Amino acid sequence: RLVNCETANLNKTINASIEQIAAIRKLQETGKFNKLNDNLKEIANLRLENPDSTYEELGKMLSKPIGKSGVSHRLEKISKIANEI
């Protein structure tokens, strides 16, 4: 059971990362990336550089570390902006 749970969590992390990277690339391709605020740019760049990292790990890498919910909020905001294009 533990292995199944860990595998499911890893798959969830990878799938979320793929979607987030696609959203970030879309923003870059459309020129909207540079219009993001500094906090969103920083988390976006970290996601691109660390596609396998969890929200907790990404949060710790920020210049001003934040928790998982803060990372989630920022990445959701990026996805929302990309979906509005």
Side-chain angles (χ1 to χ4, degrees), residues 36-79:
L36 297 176
N37 68 42
D38 290 341
N39 289 335
L40 295 181
K41 282 187 210 172
E42 183 180 18
I43 197 69
N45 285 322
L46 281 173
R47 172 47 86 200
L48 292 174
E49 295 165 7
N50 305 280
D52 298 332
S53 295
T54 64
Y55 287 177
E56 184 175 3
E57 293 167 339
L58 290 172
K60 290 178 181 178
M61 293 178 204
L62 292 167
S63 58
K64 293 181 182 175
I66 59 173
K68 293 189 292 188
S69 64
V71 171
S72 175
H73 176 74
R74 290 181 186 183
L75 290 170
E76 285 174 12
K77 194 167 187 176
I78 289 169
S79 293

